[in-house]
Amino acid sequence: MGGFASANDDILQNIVSRLPALSFASAACVSKTWNKVCGRVLSRPKLAAALSVNGSLQDGVKEVVDKVLSSPIRPQFVIASVGLAFNLEEAHRLISEKLDSRIPVITNATYGIMGRDAVSNAMREIRWNIGPEEDANSQENTDFNRGIVLIAGFFPGLKVDTIPLLRPKRHGVAMIDNFLMDIKNYTASVSGCVAPAGIIVFGDKRIDMRPFLADIDSAIPEETVIVGDANSRFLCRNGKHSQNYSADEYNFDAVALVFARDKDKPHDMGETRFHVALATGVMPFGPELRAMSVTSSGSDYSWLTASINGFDDILDCQRLLVDISEEMDDESADVYIGVIQKRPSLIEPEKMESRTYMAYYEVLGGEEEYLVVEGAGIKPGDKFLFYHSDSATASSSVHNAYESIQVLKAASSSKRRYSMRDVAGPSSSAAAGGRLGEVFGGLIFGCHYQGESYYDCFPIFNSFPGVPIAGVVCNQQIGRDPTGVSMWPAQESGESPAICTQHACSTIYLVISYVPPSPN
């Protein structure tokens, strides 16, 4: 009888594994036996993604939702990225209505999308050539600035929820301390520790995210992987663990999708791990400079005077920018300053230790001795270098990211227990565990200003052609980079590396792997 029952279970498992997600959910409720069989079908983590360039928002949403839910999955989170010509509120409503109300949903507007087409299954990477100053809803742009990529994830062994960074409308100050505390409290409640496995952050384009990301990086332990889009428009729906906040009382400056380890995870369940690789697209040039005076206009832009580090003579920044323009081969290249900033650590403030960060600020122009940059937060005495976007640097850096991700491929096909010391590039939530596991998905936060021939998907797609891949194109990428790819090039002896979390003209790769339970 035992063999007969086992055969019946195998047949049932074969049948339910072919069901779409909604029918699969119903099958799991038939009986304890069916529920157990369905549990075996989804014993491993799963990422599902689909892309549509249908000109109709309703039809596009239907295409990607139907594709993502065409096989068994119990989504713990959903991320939808839509073209700027689509109505963000309508897209968020349509997607949320098709999903269980307990599933956290983030819908954001993007400059481009990457993923497999829901209809043809072909891998596509689409950039809409719209600059920040252009009107995405103009008649010229609405015909092609339409599309959607949908991502759904099921990561057993992890708990997932959205946590917003709130700014009360009555006094207009972002509640960053509450935000960090909410992340730590949520993580502690489900995992028993304060270090999430990973965080995906979406920041509002009207807000300067640099100081907030420095606080996040300082407060969240280094083993937590952090990626995202710092310059977006987004809407979010909280999951079953979150408190709901009124849009009449608060602005949402950012939202964090937090992945925390489940302290009640069964011992025979494997582990989901995150790995990050960075491909930078900027190159430093010129001498090291020092900010002498800084005047800011809110959080929009700053005027600063500068001198060569070690000297007191104020430079003619207007003339300096003219010289830079004449020296650059690519007239369309973007120019930034990379500023070194020291901040106190928020993890152990009693030690009075500071951490070193690098933040990019886009150069807007110059007027006599003043350099004008976007954003705020620069202080007199801060050191900085000029950087410019560079296609050759981007291409070389993407190849380096590809080689780093290839180590994960070797780990997936080998029984050897790889240590992260074997990995030249990706940082990883597996750093302490020493095993990288089997890759089952990837997310990409790419750069808008890379040109038509640039192919962001290459490192993951060529390494793991069969796994689900999805990505968005953004202006300012978030990616915690403890590996030193964006390290200040002139580190002083004994000085800690400058950590950069918000990047310019770069691509962030999030590779997700599964480590089976130890046989012991």
Side-chain angles (χ1 to χ4, degrees):
M1 287 294 292
F4 181 75
S6 176
N8 282 342
D9 284 353
D10 291 341
I11 294 172
L12 179 59
Q13 181 172 331
N14 185 277
I15 293 173
V16 298
S17 66
R18 302 170 187 268
L19 294 176
L22 294 180
S23 300
F24 178 83
S26 299
C29 299
V30 170
S31 67
K32 290 183 178 180
T33 299
W34 282 47
N35 184 273
K36 183 178 180 181
V37 170
C38 290
R40 289 208 303 267
V41 172
L42 286 182
S43 60
R44 287 178 168 236
K46 182 176 183 179
L47 189 75
L51 174 150
S52 172
V53 289
N54 196 308
S56 164
L57 176 59
Q58 291 79 6
D59 292 344
V61 168
K62 184 178 187 305
E63 287 179 3
V64 295
V65 171
D66 287 350
K67 182 65 175 180
V68 165
L69 300 182
S70 63
S71 61
I73 189 171
R74 294 171 180 155
Q76 291 174 292
F77 70 92
V78 167
I79 300 172
S81 300
V82 302
L84 300 177
F86 282 148
N87 182 283
L88 184 64
E89 290 75 12
E90 179 69 6
H92 186 66
R93 182 188 65 80
L94 288 171
I95 294 163
S96 297
E97 288 178 350
K98 293 181 177 292
L99 300 167
D100 189 294
S101 61
R102 296 169 295 179
I103 300 172
V105 179
I106 298 175
T107 308
N108 74 301
T110 179
Y111 290 102
I113 52 178
M114 313 172 206
R116 289 192 178 276
D117 192 285
V119 177
S120 68
N121 204 40
M123 192 67 195
R124 304 191 65 174
E125 184 167 323
I126 302 166
R127 283 178 171 80
W128 294 298
N129 296 317
I130 299 175
E133 74 284 353
E134 297 182 70
D135 181 7
N137 293 310
S138 66
Q139 185 59 46
E140 180 181 356
N141 291 321
T142 52
D143 291 339
F144 64 86
N145 190 25
R146 295 171 179 268
I148 179 172
V149 63
L150 187 73
I151 305 158
F154 170 68
F155 300 164
L158 294 180
K159 297 287 189 179
V160 189
D161 210 345
T162 54
I163 295 176
L165 171 57
L166 302 173
R167 182 186 296 269
K169 292 184 176 180
R170 65 180 181 273
H171 59 67
V173 178
M175 301 166 62
I176 183 63
D177 291 340
N178 298 69
F179 177 67
L180 295 172
M181 188 59 66
D182 287 345
I183 291 176
K184 289 183 177 181
N185 287 343
Y186 169 71
T187 305
S189 68
V190 300
S191 69
C193 69
V194 295
I199 302 175
I200 300 177
V201 180
F202 291 89
D204 190 291
K205 65 185 299 183
R206 297 166 296 182
I207 303 300
D208 184 357
M209 286 294 294
R210 278 173 291 243
F212 300 142
L213 289 171
D215 287 341
I216 293 169
D217 191 86
S218 178
I220 303 299
E222 291 184 6
E223 61 264 31
T224 300
V225 166
I226 304 175
V227 299
D229 179 356
N231 191 250
S232 178
R233 290 175 53 235
F234 67 86
L235 294 170
C236 64
R237 184 180 77 181
N238 295 340
K240 59 184 179 180
H241 302 290
S242 294
Q243 178 180 350
N244 289 309
Y245 299 94
S246 171
D248 295 330
E249 298 181 18
Y250 298 98
N251 291 318
F252 288 60
D253 283 2
V255 62
L257 188 65
V258 181
F259 300 83
R261 297 175 182 87
D262 185 359
K263 60 185 177 184
D264 298 322
K265 178 177 74 74
H267 295 296
D268 60 351
M269 179 179 290
E271 184 176 353
T272 298
R273 290 181 172 173
F274 303 106
H275 319 268
V276 174
L278 166 68
T280 184
V282 293
M283 182 171 68
F285 66 97
E288 182 176 287
L289 305 179
R290 178 164 52 99
M292 300 297 288
S293 67
V294 183
T295 303
S296 298
S297 175
S299 61
D300 294 330
Y301 44 89
S302 301
W303 292 268
L304 61 131
T305 59
S307 66
I308 297 177
N309 195 30
F311 298 88
D312 294 327
D313 294 337
I314 301 297
L315 299 173
D316 183 339
C317 289
Q318 185 173 1
R319 180 60 199 172
L320 179 62
L321 291 180
V322 172
D323 293 341
I324 290 173
S325 178
E326 291 176 350
E327 289 293 326
M328 290 175 56
D329 296 330
D330 184 0
E331 296 181 357
S332 65
D334 299 303
V335 179
Y336 302 85
I337 58 172
V339 183
I340 289 294
Q341 300 171 329
K342 290 185 180 292
R343 286 177 173 267
S345 172
L346 298 182
I347 299 177
E348 296 179 298
E350 67 279 0
K351 292 186 177 181
M352 303 296 290
E353 294 180 353
S354 62
R355 303 183 73 183
T356 306
Y357 301 88
M358 189 173 78
Y360 290 104
Y361 294 81
E362 185 175 2
V363 175
L364 303 179
E367 184 175 344
E368 297 180 348
E369 74 269 27
Y370 289 100
L371 183 67
V372 185
V373 300
E374 56 82 27
I378 304 173
K379 296 180 180 180
D382 285 347
K383 297 181 295 183
F384 67 91
L385 286 176
F386 278 100
Y387 287 76
H388 67 84
S389 58
D390 182 71
S391 59
T393 299
S395 177
S396 174
S397 189
V398 166
H399 182 72
N400 291 339
Y402 171 69
E403 290 185 338
S404 298
I405 291 172
Q406 282 286 300
V407 174
L408 301 178
K409 180 179 180 179
S412 290
S413 58
S414 172
K415 294 183 179 179
R416 174 189 169 192
R417 290 193 174 188
Y418 279 74
S419 166
M420 286 309 296
R421 297 186 182 92
D422 298 317
V423 185
S427 61
S428 172
S429 63
R435 292 193 297 163
L436 303 182
E438 176 185 341
V439 170
F440 66 89
L443 301 181
I444 302 169
F445 296 88
C447 176
H448 180 237
Y449 303 105
Q450 296 284 24
E452 294 182 359
S453 62
Y454 199 80
Y455 193 54
D456 269 329
C457 294
F458 163 74
I460 300 181
F461 179 73
N462 277 40
S463 299
F464 307 100
V467 307
I469 303 171
V472 297
V473 175
C474 41
N475 281 336
Q476 297 173 4
Q477 306 78 31
I478 297 172
R480 191 178 237 180
D481 178 34
T483 62
V485 174
S486 56
M487 188 187 300
W488 183 256
Q491 287 290 318
E492 298 176 1
S493 177
E495 185 177 358
S496 61
I499 298 171
C500 183
T501 304
Q502 181 169 327
H503 303 271
C505 298
S506 300
T507 300
I508 308 297
Y509 299 96
L510 176 64
V511 184
I512 313 169
S513 71
Y514 171 71
V515 178
S518 172
N520 298 327

